[in-house]
């Protein structure tokens, strides 16, 4: 951590291989950026990515991780569901388990657990051991998580916590934070986050930095 004395510096996480199961992500990313009237450079800067990395995501040369999708959704004032081209008819209040299709991004697996197009997004997430546990996030909004299975390491600012099944956390996303599975079998959790429903290019969404695992 930099103790608040120096500006955070952003480094994109290692680039995962392209996943053929997500062919619609690239055009969606490009179309939503243009809808938000953002240049490639402005969108990449707001999401903590390099323009070259965002360009590779938009052309399908790289697969975005779940944290990248969350950051880009906030930049474009939309949801992860829309980025992935998913729709839920008429925003049904009930989402059946049989309709929850798993999506894999950056080693994580997640299931949409709520309707798309909402300011509050709910996900069921599996965090594998050793996957992006050293990535620190800083961005506007709130996050709530509830551990279903396994143990989760959560760092908030300068404090580190080990969460057991049944434990939960609710925090301001402007607090530098990172989560990682503590066990080799990974961790399952419910994850709820808020999105800023604004495409304003002036929004500063905090970068991604590397650090030590808690």
């Amino acid at each position: 951590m930099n103790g608040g004395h120096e500006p955070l510096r952003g480094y994109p996480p290692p680039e995962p291989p392209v996943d053929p199961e997500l062919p619609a992500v690239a055009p969606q990313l490009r179309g939503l950026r243009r809808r938000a009237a953002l240049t490639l450079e402005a969108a990449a800067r707001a999401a903590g990515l390099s323009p070259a990395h965002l360009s590779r995501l938009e052309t399908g040369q790289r697969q975005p991780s779940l944290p990248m999708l969350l950051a880009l959704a906030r930049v474009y004032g939309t949801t992860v569901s829309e980025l992935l081209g998913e729709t839920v008819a008429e925003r049904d209040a009930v989402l059946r388990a049989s309709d929850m299709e798993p999506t894999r991004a950056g080693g994580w697996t997640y299931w949409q657990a709520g309707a798309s197009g909402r300011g509050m997004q709910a996900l069921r997430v599996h965090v594998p051991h050793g996957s992006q546990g050293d990535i620190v996030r800083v961005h506007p909004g709130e996050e709530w998580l509830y551990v279903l299975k396994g143990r989760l390491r959560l760092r908030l600012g300068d404090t580190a916590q080990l969460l057991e099944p049944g434990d939960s956390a609710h925090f301001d996303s402007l607090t530098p934070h990172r989560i990682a599975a503590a066990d080799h079998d990974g961790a399952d959790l419910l994850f709820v986050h808020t999105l800023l429903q604004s495409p304003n290019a002036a929004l500063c969404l905090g970068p991604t930095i590397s650090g030590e695992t808690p």
Side-chain angles (χ1 to χ4, degrees):
M1 306 299 296
N2 63 9
H5 300 294
E6 297 178 1
L8 298 176
R9 296 187 305 164
Y11 299 95
E15 297 174 350
V18 176
D19 187 342
E21 295 180 2
L22 299 176
V25 175
Q28 283 289 111
L29 291 177
R30 184 169 56 251
L32 289 170
R33 175 176 61 79
R34 291 174 175 173
R35 188 183 73 180
L38 292 175
T39 65
L40 187 72
E41 291 74 14
R45 182 170 60 252
L49 303 172
S50 69
H53 190 80
L54 180 56
S55 177
R56 287 193 288 270
L57 296 178
E58 290 190 355
T59 54
Q61 299 176 49
R62 290 291 183 270
Q63 174 198 339
S65 66
L66 177 56
M68 285 182 190
L69 290 173
L70 292 172
L72 289 170
R74 293 184 180 96
V75 172
Y76 301 154
T78 185
T79 65
V80 171
S81 294
E82 187 172 9
L83 286 180
L84 295 175
E86 300 172 353
T87 59
V88 177
E90 299 180 358
R91 291 186 176 181
D92 290 339
V94 175
L95 185 60
R96 302 295 181 184
S98 59
D99 295 329
M100 297 182 187
E101 295 292 335
T103 299
R104 295 171 180 83
W108 295 15
T109 303
Y110 68 97
W111 295 258
Q112 194 75 27
S116 63
R118 303 288 191 181
M120 181 177 69
Q121 291 288 291
L123 304 169
R124 180 163 59 89
V125 183
H126 175 74
V127 181
H129 185 264
S131 175
Q132 301 182 4
D134 61 343
I135 303 301
V136 177
R137 302 285 163 183
V138 182
H139 52 81
E142 294 183 37
E143 296 182 27
W144 175 87
L145 59 87
Y146 178 90
V147 181
L148 296 169
K149 182 181 179 181
R151 297 181 302 163
L152 195 73
R153 294 190 185 277
L154 171 67
R155 180 176 286 278
L156 292 175
D158 294 326
T159 66
Q161 303 284 345
L162 181 64
L163 278 61
E164 305 275 353
D167 291 342
S168 64
H170 188 178
F171 54 91
D172 189 324
S173 303
L174 286 175
T175 303
H177 57 280
R178 65 174 177 238
I179 63 175
D183 302 320
H184 287 286
D185 290 337
D188 295 331
L189 59 140
L190 293 177
F191 178 71
V192 177
H193 64 93
T194 59
L195 295 172
L196 292 179
Q197 299 296 317
S198 170
N200 189 340
L203 289 176
C204 179
L205 298 178
T208 301
I209 67 174
S210 294
E212 298 177 356
T213 50

